[in-house]
Amino acid sequence: MPPITFTPGSPNWLTLAAPDLAAAAEFYRTVLGWRFDPATGLFALDGRAVAGAARPGAEAPTWHVHFHTPDADATSEAVVRAGGTVRTAPAEVPGLGRTAHFADPSGATFAVLQPVGRAGFDAVATPGALNRTELYTTDAASARTFYQAVFGWQLTEKPFPGLLYLGFAPAEESHPADRGGIMQLPQANLDAGSTPEWHPYFTVTDCDAALAAAAEGGAVVLIPAMDVPTVGRMGMFVDPQGAVLAVLQP
């Protein structure tokens, strides 16, 4: 993932919804090296903000992926026109900006951030920071239509045997590089109970060590360390409170 530029449609923030913030702080300190400031609700890596955290309402613990928008209200209207759902209408978050939460037609949830006080991440594509975001979906073809309508993404089919995978890049980039992807869930995943979800991938220097640290801290490994050609070594787990994320050793 290239240095983030915060063009419309690019990932620009993450929020962890976790009922026990102190436990989450300790887990992510051990696995990714983060420090949590309860006063600001920010996770930082060597003093650079990489994510936020808050206690969830009625929702299950999860990672909320945010995409940059210059106008959260206009994006809300685009989501509805494209067949999505507004879960939380645009509202001001002090020190961050205007955010809104949505669900795409398959039910995968995501959010947008219209920056005001903070442009977005202070660090990206460095160990411990976001590397990419991926949508695992039951209908990649429909997801392509929806997200192009909402964000105008440039989407490129990638050669993954046996499944449809689309890399996405912001519309305004003249030399686009993938900021993430949209993947059709294989039948085996569906049979195992997988549902449409956005997942953050964090950069690590040693995928196997990161997964081992996560497991030792109470996480459940969903995808053991595996090599992905031209991408790197990755794995996925559910943190002790139920939020899903992945780690990637480029």
Side-chain angles (χ1 to χ4, degrees):
M1 185 173 179
I4 199 157
T5 54
F6 301 118
T7 52
S10 63
N12 67 339
W13 193 244
L14 293 166
T15 303
L16 172 66
D20 188 336
L21 296 182
E26 177 59 21
F27 176 79
Y28 286 100
R29 182 193 67 78
T30 301
V31 177
L32 295 174
W34 295 351
R35 299 290 178 178
F36 181 64
D37 182 352
T40 62
L42 297 179
F43 284 112
L45 183 68
D46 297 327
R48 298 171 294 171
V50 291
R55 291 183 176 86
E59 67 180 342
T62 190
W63 275 102
H64 293 294
V65 177
H66 294 64
F67 299 96
H68 178 281
T69 178
D71 188 332
D73 296 276
T75 300
S76 293
E77 295 172 0
V79 165
V80 173
R81 286 196 303 270
T85 304
V86 177
R87 300 176 65 241
T88 304
E92 192 79 19
V93 176
L96 188 63
R98 283 174 62 75
T99 66
H101 291 250
F102 312 107
D104 70 18
S106 72
T109 60
F110 66 101
V112 294
L113 169 62
Q114 177 186 339
V116 176
R118 171 177 294 281
F121 307 110
D122 290 335
V124 71
T126 189
L130 182 72
N131 185 285
R132 60 190 291 111
T133 59
E134 290 191 344
L135 171 65
Y136 291 11
T137 181
T138 53
D139 192 340
S142 293
R144 175 198 294 228
T145 301
F146 173 80
Y147 288 100
Q148 278 189 318
V150 173
F151 294 121
W153 283 344
Q154 303 178 64
L155 292 164
T156 307
E157 289 196 25
K158 303 294 182 179
F160 278 80
L163 58 82
L164 176 59
Y165 187 94
L166 305 166
F168 73 82
E172 295 183 6
E173 294 189 354
S174 56
H175 300 286
D178 289 353
R179 297 299 179 89
I182 296 172
M183 187 185 85
Q184 179 76 36
L185 281 166
Q187 189 60 47
N189 295 69
L190 298 177
D191 293 342
S194 295
T195 57
E197 290 181 308
W198 276 99
H199 299 302
Y201 281 61
F202 295 97
T203 303
V204 293
T205 56
D206 187 327
C207 178
D208 297 79
L211 289 176
E216 185 174 347
V220 176
V221 176
L222 296 176
I223 301 177
M226 60 179 289
D227 293 318
V228 181
T230 75
V231 175
R233 190 163 175 80
M234 62 82 61
M236 182 174 287
F237 58 87
V238 183
D239 77 13
Q241 298 187 62
V244 181
L245 67 151
V247 290
L248 174 65
Q249 177 185 337

Coordinates of all heavy atoms in Angstrom, one line a residue, residues 194-234:
S194 N -19.2 -17.9 7.3 CA -18.7 -16.6 7.0 C -19.8 -15.7 6.5 O -20.7 -16.1 5.7 CB -17.5 -16.6 6.0 OG -16.4 -17.3 6.6
T195 N -19.8 -14.4 6.8 CA -20.7 -13.4 6.4 C -19.9 -12.2 5.8 O -18.7 -12.1 6.1 CB -21.6 -12.9 7.5 OG1 -20.8 -12.4 8.5 CG2 -22.5 -14.1 8.0
P196 N -20.6 -11.4 5.0 CA -19.9 -10.2 4.4 C -19.3 -9.3 5.4 O -20.0 -8.9 6.3 CB -20.9 -9.6 3.5 CG -21.9 -10.7 3.2 CD -21.9 -11.5 4.4
E197 N -18.0 -9.0 5.3 CA -17.3 -8.1 6.3 C -16.1 -7.4 5.7 O -15.5 -8.0 4.8 CB -16.8 -8.9 7.5 CG -17.9 -9.5 8.4 CD -17.2 -10.2 9.6 OE1 -16.4 -11.1 9.4 OE2 -17.6 -9.9 10.7
W198 N -15.9 -6.2 6.1 CA -14.6 -5.5 5.8 C -13.6 -5.8 6.9 O -13.9 -5.9 8.1 CB -14.9 -4.0 5.8 CG -15.4 -3.5 4.5 CD1 -16.7 -3.2 4.2 CD2 -14.6 -3.2 3.3 NE1 -16.8 -2.7 2.9 CE2 -15.5 -2.7 2.4 CE3 -13.3 -3.3 3.0 CZ2 -15.1 -2.4 1.1 CZ3 -12.8 -2.9 1.8 CH2 -13.7 -2.5 0.8
H199 N -12.4 -6.1 6.5 CA -11.3 -6.4 7.4 C -10.1 -5.5 7.2 O -9.7 -5.4 6.1 CB -10.9 -7.9 7.3 CG -11.9 -8.9 7.5 ND1 -12.6 -9.0 8.7 CD2 -12.5 -9.9 6.7 CE1 -13.5 -9.9 8.6 NE2 -13.5 -10.5 7.5
P200 N -9.5 -5.0 8.3 CA -8.2 -4.3 8.2 C -7.1 -5.3 8.2 O -7.1 -6.3 8.9 CB -8.2 -3.4 9.4 CG -9.0 -4.1 10.4 CD -10.0 -4.9 9.7
Y201 N -6.0 -5.0 7.4 CA -4.8 -5.8 7.4 C -3.7 -4.9 8.0 O -3.5 -3.8 7.4 CB -4.4 -6.3 6.0 CG -5.2 -7.5 5.5 CD1 -6.5 -7.4 5.3 CD2 -4.5 -8.6 5.1 CE1 -7.2 -8.5 4.8 CE2 -5.1 -9.7 4.6 CZ -6.5 -9.7 4.5 OH -7.2 -10.8 3.9
F202 N -3.0 -5.3 9.0 CA -1.9 -4.5 9.6 C -0.6 -5.1 9.2 O -0.4 -6.3 9.2 CB -2.1 -4.5 11.1 CG -3.3 -3.8 11.5 CD1 -4.4 -4.5 11.9 CD2 -3.3 -2.4 11.6 CE1 -5.6 -3.8 12.3 CE2 -4.5 -1.7 12.0 CZ -5.6 -2.4 12.3
T203 N 0.4 -4.2 8.9 CA 1.7 -4.7 8.5 C 2.5 -5.2 9.8 O 2.4 -4.6 10.8 CB 2.5 -3.5 8.0 OG1 1.9 -2.9 6.8 CG2 3.9 -3.9 7.5
V204 N 3.1 -6.3 9.6 CA 4.0 -6.9 10.6 C 5.3 -7.3 10.0 O 5.4 -7.6 8.8 CB 3.3 -8.1 11.4 CG1 2.1 -7.6 12.2 CG2 2.9 -9.2 10.4
T205 N 6.3 -7.4 10.8 CA 7.6 -7.9 10.3 C 7.8 -9.4 10.3 O 8.6 -10.0 9.6 CB 8.8 -7.3 11.1 OG1 8.6 -7.6 12.5 CG2 8.8 -5.8 10.9
D206 N 6.9 -10.1 11.1 CA 6.9 -11.5 11.2 C 5.5 -12.0 11.4 O 5.0 -11.9 12.5 CB 7.9 -11.9 12.3 CG 8.1 -13.5 12.4 OD1 7.2 -14.2 12.1 OD2 9.2 -13.9 12.8
C207 N 4.9 -12.5 10.4 CA 3.5 -12.9 10.5 C 3.3 -14.1 11.5 O 2.4 -14.0 12.3 CB 3.0 -13.4 9.1 SG 1.3 -14.0 9.0
D208 N 4.2 -15.0 11.4 CA 4.0 -16.2 12.3 C 4.2 -15.8 13.8 O 3.4 -16.2 14.7 CB 5.1 -17.2 12.0 CG 5.0 -17.8 10.6 OD1 5.4 -17.1 9.7 OD2 4.4 -18.9 10.5
A209 N 5.1 -14.9 14.1 CA 5.3 -14.4 15.5 C 4.1 -13.6 15.9 O 3.6 -13.7 17.1 CB 6.6 -13.5 15.6
A210 N 3.5 -12.8 15.0 CA 2.3 -11.9 15.4 C 1.1 -12.8 15.7 O 0.4 -12.6 16.6 CB 2.0 -11.0 14.2
L211 N 0.9 -13.9 14.9 CA -0.2 -14.8 15.1 C 0.0 -15.6 16.4 O -0.9 -15.8 17.2 CB -0.3 -15.8 14.0 CG -0.8 -15.2 12.7 CD1 -0.8 -16.3 11.6 CD2 -2.2 -14.7 12.8
A212 N 1.3 -15.9 16.7 CA 1.6 -16.6 18.0 C 1.3 -15.7 19.2 O 0.7 -16.2 20.2 CB 3.0 -17.1 18.0
A213 N 1.7 -14.4 19.1 CA 1.4 -13.5 20.1 C 0.0 -13.3 20.3 O -0.5 -13.1 21.5 CB 2.1 -12.2 19.8
A214 N -0.8 -13.2 19.2 CA -2.2 -13.0 19.3 C -2.9 -14.2 20.0 O -3.7 -14.0 20.9 CB -2.8 -12.8 17.9
A215 N -2.5 -15.4 19.6 CA -3.1 -16.6 20.2 C -2.7 -16.7 21.7 O -3.6 -17.0 22.5 CB -2.6 -17.8 19.5
E216 N -1.5 -16.3 22.0 CA -1.1 -16.3 23.4 C -1.9 -15.3 24.3 O -2.2 -15.5 25.4 CB 0.4 -16.0 23.6 CG 0.9 -16.2 25.0 CD 2.4 -16.0 25.1 OE1 3.1 -16.0 24.0 OE2 2.9 -15.8 26.2
G217 N -2.4 -14.2 23.6 CA -3.1 -13.2 24.3 C -4.6 -13.5 24.3 O -5.4 -12.7 24.7
G218 N -5.0 -14.7 23.8 CA -6.4 -15.1 23.8 C -7.2 -15.0 22.5 O -8.4 -15.2 22.5
A219 N -6.5 -14.7 21.4 CA -7.2 -14.6 20.1 C -7.4 -16.0 19.5 O -6.7 -17.0 19.9 CB -6.3 -13.8 19.1
V220 N -8.3 -16.1 18.6 CA -8.6 -17.4 17.9 C -8.1 -17.2 16.4 O -8.6 -16.3 15.7 CB -10.1 -17.8 17.9 CG1 -10.3 -19.0 17.1 CG2 -10.5 -18.0 19.4
V221 N -7.2 -18.0 16.0 CA -6.6 -17.9 14.6 C -7.7 -18.5 13.7 O -8.1 -19.6 13.8 CB -5.3 -18.6 14.5 CG1 -4.8 -18.5 13.1 CG2 -4.3 -17.9 15.4
L222 N -8.1 -17.6 12.7 CA -9.0 -18.1 11.6 C -8.3 -18.6 10.4 O -8.7 -19.6 9.8 CB -9.9 -16.9 11.2 CG -10.9 -16.4 12.3 CD1 -11.6 -15.2 11.7 CD2 -11.8 -17.4 12.8
I223 N -7.2 -17.9 10.0 CA -6.4 -18.3 8.9 C -4.9 -18.4 9.4 O -4.3 -17.3 9.7 CB -6.5 -17.3 7.7 CG1 -8.0 -17.1 7.3 CG2 -5.6 -17.7 6.6 CD1 -8.2 -16.1 6.2
P224 N -4.4 -19.6 9.5 CA -3.0 -19.7 9.9 C -2.1 -19.0 8.8 O -2.5 -18.7 7.7 CB -2.7 -21.2 9.9 CG -4.1 -21.8 10.0 CD -5.0 -20.9 9.3
A225 N -0.8 -18.7 9.2 CA 0.1 -18.0 8.3 C 0.2 -18.8 7.0 O 0.4 -20.0 6.9 CB 1.5 -17.9 9.0
M226 N 0.0 -18.0 5.9 CA 0.1 -18.6 4.6 C 0.7 -17.6 3.6 O 0.6 -16.4 3.8 CB -1.3 -18.9 4.1 CG -2.3 -17.8 4.0 SD -3.9 -18.2 3.4 CE -3.5 -18.5 1.6
D227 N 1.4 -18.1 2.6 CA 2.0 -17.2 1.6 C 1.1 -16.9 0.5 O 0.5 -17.9 -0.1 CB 3.3 -17.9 1.1 CG 4.4 -18.0 2.1 OD1 4.6 -17.1 2.9 OD2 5.0 -19.1 2.2
V228 N 1.0 -15.7 0.1 CA 0.1 -15.2 -1.0 C 1.1 -14.7 -2.1 O 1.8 -13.7 -1.8 CB -0.9 -14.1 -0.6 CG1 -1.7 -13.7 -1.7 CG2 -1.7 -14.7 0.6
P229 N 1.1 -15.3 -3.2 CA 2.1 -14.9 -4.3 C 2.0 -13.4 -4.6 O 0.9 -12.9 -4.7 CB 1.6 -15.7 -5.5 CG 1.0 -17.0 -4.9 CD 0.3 -16.5 -3.7
T230 N 3.1 -12.8 -4.7 CA 3.3 -11.3 -5.0 C 2.8 -10.4 -3.9 O 2.9 -9.2 -4.0 CB 2.6 -10.9 -6.3 OG1 1.2 -10.8 -6.2 CG2 2.9 -11.9 -7.5
V231 N 2.2 -10.9 -2.8 CA 1.7 -10.1 -1.8 C 2.5 -10.2 -0.5 O 3.0 -9.2 0.1 CB 0.2 -10.5 -1.5 CG1 -0.3 -9.7 -0.3 CG2 -0.7 -10.2 -2.7
G232 N 2.7 -11.4 0.0 CA 3.4 -11.7 1.2 C 2.9 -12.8 2.0 O 2.2 -13.7 1.5
R233 N 3.1 -12.8 3.3 CA 2.7 -13.8 4.2 C 1.6 -13.2 5.1 O 1.9 -12.2 5.8 CB 3.8 -14.4 5.0 CG 3.5 -15.6 5.8 CD 4.8 -16.3 6.2 NE 4.6 -17.5 7.1 CZ 4.3 -18.7 6.7 NH1 4.1 -18.9 5.4 NH2 4.1 -19.7 7.5
M234 N 0.4 -13.9 5.2 CA -0.7 -13.3 6.0 C -1.4 -14.3 6.8 O -1.2 -15.5 6.7 CB -1.7 -12.6 5.0 CG -2.4 -13.5 4.0 SD -3.8 -14.5 4.7 CE -4.9 -13.2 5.2

